[in-house]
Amino acid sequence: MPDSISQWLPLLNNSLWFRHLPPALQQSLLQAAQLRQLQSNQLLFPRGEQSADLFAVLQGALCVGTLDAEGREVLLTVAEPVTWFGEIALFDAQPRTHDVRAAGPTTLLCIPQAALQQLLAEQPHWWREFALLLCHKLRLAFNNAEDLSLLPAGPRLARRLLLIARGYGDARTTQQQIRLTQERLAQMLSLSRQTTNQLLRELEQQGVLRLQPGCIEIVDLPALEQAASH
């Protein structure tokens, strides 16, 4: 394993999916891995691109979304460390489903498509591990759709902040700071920026959050969990 990759191993082990992989698969992925650096607003890949590399966010953040009929960005989610993504195209060999762009300077771990295909051809039982990653994402998609349909705006916002802070269920720890603008959070929740700002200010006044430019800090995690459960 190259030294440039091994220094990221403690962070990668914060991903529950990666941590529970068979050791031989972990080593094979790391041996094939490459580091990618993106500048702020740089496109990683556009919707419709024919590629199947697998990625993990090591530093920074990525915006996953698309454009509406009027050419405006529609943000679906923000991927922060340590989010693994790109597995859909690995299974169906279809074009990428969304645009993925760096929210700021970002470091990625990239497992090239050719290396993945060779690994899985030699060890076909490892397909199950990638299927588990895909199933995790599918469960999240159903849960998010349910939240949009059933939850009031306040609990929906609190729940999304918790999801991001916990790596969408794949992190061993909860991060205190979420690098996300209010405008992007509003897009993810299908809320107006005014409503989002009002809800965040209320949580700040209650001592649950601390708002900073481009960043939301969780001050009282139990209180945020309570707000998400209402």
Side-chain angles (χ1 to χ4, degrees):
M1 182 195 318
D3 290 340
S4 59
I5 302 295
S6 62
Q7 66 176 314
W8 296 102
L9 188 56
L11 178 65
L12 288 167
N13 279 324
N14 195 41
S15 162
L16 294 176
W17 176 76
F18 182 82
R19 182 178 176 84
H20 290 113
L21 290 178
L25 177 53
Q26 285 187 357
Q27 290 300 314
S28 295
L29 291 176
L30 294 175
Q31 288 292 343
Q34 304 168 358
L35 291 180
R36 291 275 302 273
Q37 303 288 341
L38 298 180
Q39 301 302 313
S40 182
N41 207 40
Q42 183 177 346
L43 189 67
L44 175 62
F45 55 74
R47 179 175 184 170
E49 180 176 280
Q50 194 74 47
S51 64
D53 296 344
L54 185 70
F55 296 94
V57 182
L58 299 177
Q59 195 172 52
L62 294 172
C63 295
V64 181
T66 187
L67 299 178
D68 65 15
E70 298 178 358
R72 294 173 300 190
E73 181 187 26
V74 178
L75 183 66
L76 300 179
T77 191
V78 172
E80 294 194 318
V82 179
T83 301
W84 288 87
F85 66 97
E87 72 285 346
I88 295 177
L90 178 64
F91 277 89
D92 62 12
Q94 295 297 306
R96 296 294 192 182
T97 57
H98 297 94
D99 299 325
V100 177
R101 188 180 300 274
T106 300
T107 302
L108 302 172
L109 189 77
C110 173
I111 317 296
Q113 177 180 354
L116 284 169
Q117 290 174 335
Q118 181 178 347
L119 282 176
L120 293 169
E122 295 172 353
Q123 304 287 346
H125 58 282
W126 282 347
W127 273 107
R128 180 181 183 276
E129 307 302 331
F130 295 95
L132 290 174
L133 179 62
L134 183 62
C135 288
H136 175 70
K137 302 287 185 62
L138 185 59
R139 286 183 181 275
L140 285 175
F142 279 124
N143 289 339
N144 287 337
E146 182 177 304
D147 288 351
L148 283 172
S149 299
L150 301 178
L151 285 183
R156 188 170 6 133
L157 179 144
R159 186 169 296 189
R160 180 56 68 97
L161 291 177
L162 284 173
L163 273 175
I164 297 172
R166 290 169 173 164
Y168 290 91
D170 189 44
R172 298 170 61 201
T173 59
T174 301
Q175 60 180 353
Q176 297 300 115
Q177 292 190 334
I178 300 172
R179 295 177 295 276
L180 183 66
T181 65
Q182 294 186 28
E183 181 178 1
R184 283 176 168 161
L185 179 60
Q187 290 176 354
M188 293 166 62
L189 296 169
S190 297
L191 297 173
S192 69
R193 192 185 184 286
Q194 181 179 7
T195 298
T196 301
N197 178 263
Q198 179 182 346
L199 293 170
L200 289 171
R201 291 296 177 189
E202 290 175 357
L203 290 171
E204 185 177 44
Q205 291 170 4
Q206 296 166 16
V208 180
L209 303 175
R210 183 178 296 115
L211 304 180
Q212 304 172 24
C215 180
I216 301 169
E217 182 181 355
I218 300 174
V219 178
D220 189 338
L221 181 60
L224 185 60
E225 292 172 337
Q226 185 176 5
S229 65
H230 287 171

